[in-house]
Amino acid sequence: MTKTESMEGTLLDWLRDAHAMEKHAEQMLSNTATRLEHYPELRAKIERHLEQTRSQADRLQTCIERRGGSTSTFKDTAAQLLGFGQALTGVFTSDEVVKASIASFAFEQMEVATYKGLITAAESVGDAATKEVCQGILAEEQEMAGWLDENLPGVVRTFLARDARGTSAKH
């Protein structure tokens, strides 16, 4: 195997991993959004990002198929189950909205780093189309991470105020 073939194989593996990551995010966002009754702005933002996430998975699948590969059913299923399990853990905590917001912010940062790596890998093998797709997704992930960064204090304040009043603060 040549160095180029090895790099191309690595890029394909990383694209599959990113696709599974987006499937995980889709499950996590979907479950979280359904439970945000008292946080309409956060819910709306998550629902918009959920649509972006679904589109990101589709765009990654196109890149994978263009490179002659297919998505990994195992990785996608495992990621979706992990996302479902992660969402379930919040059901039993009174501060679910705060913990979900923090987890979402951390997850967005991981996605940002992933797409920066994919851009470099695509560039290294001369795959301009994949690089362009990943740059578009990176911009979406950076926007969501920035929004969460800017709005986390407000979510925490709303939670604390609702909790202090004895009103339902969880969702």
Side-chain angles (χ1 to χ4, degrees):
M1 178 181 297
T2 69
K3 182 178 175 182
T4 301
E5 289 171 335
S6 176
M7 288 171 39
E8 288 186 7
T10 298
L11 174 58
L12 187 56
D13 286 343
W14 289 352
L15 288 167
R16 285 186 189 113
D17 292 344
H19 186 268
M21 176 182 68
E22 294 302 347
K23 290 299 190 179
H24 173 122
E26 180 180 347
Q27 187 68 51
M28 188 175 65
L29 292 168
S30 179
N31 289 332
T32 300
T34 62
R35 294 193 310 270
L36 293 175
E37 178 184 339
H38 301 295
Y39 302 84
E41 187 178 0
L42 177 60
R43 181 180 184 151
K45 185 64 176 178
I46 287 175
E47 287 173 345
R48 282 191 300 277
H49 194 60
L50 176 58
E51 291 308 311
Q52 285 180 322
T53 299
R54 289 179 176 135
S55 171
Q56 291 166 356
D58 291 344
R59 288 179 272 166
L60 288 168
Q61 184 170 345
T62 299
C63 290
I64 292 166
E65 290 170 354
R66 187 175 28 76
R67 297 194 60 75
S70 61
T71 58
S72 170
T73 303
F74 174 76
K75 285 182 181 181
D76 288 353
T77 301
Q80 286 173 315
L81 288 173
L82 183 61
F84 180 72
Q86 186 175 1
L88 276 181
T89 61
V91 170
F92 305 108
T93 63
S94 63
D95 58 351
E96 175 188 14
V97 67
V98 174
K99 288 181 178 165
S101 295
I102 292 167
S104 293
F105 179 69
F107 196 84
E108 291 301 324
Q109 296 300 330
M110 182 183 70
E111 288 180 307
V112 165
T114 295
Y115 288 108
K116 286 182 176 187
L118 281 169
I119 289 165
T120 302
E123 189 175 78
S124 295
V125 301
D127 187 343
T130 295
K131 178 182 174 184
E132 184 178 332
V133 166
C134 291
Q135 286 172 325
I137 295 172
L138 173 62
E140 293 168 358
E141 300 299 2
Q142 288 173 322
E143 191 277 327
M144 183 63 177
W147 188 92
L148 287 166
D149 186 34
E150 186 176 306
N151 287 275
L152 181 60
V155 169
V156 171
R157 284 187 201 98
T158 299
F159 172 84
L160 292 172
R162 292 184 67 79
D163 191 50
R165 289 192 308 265
T167 56
S168 177
K170 184 174 180 175
H171 308 293

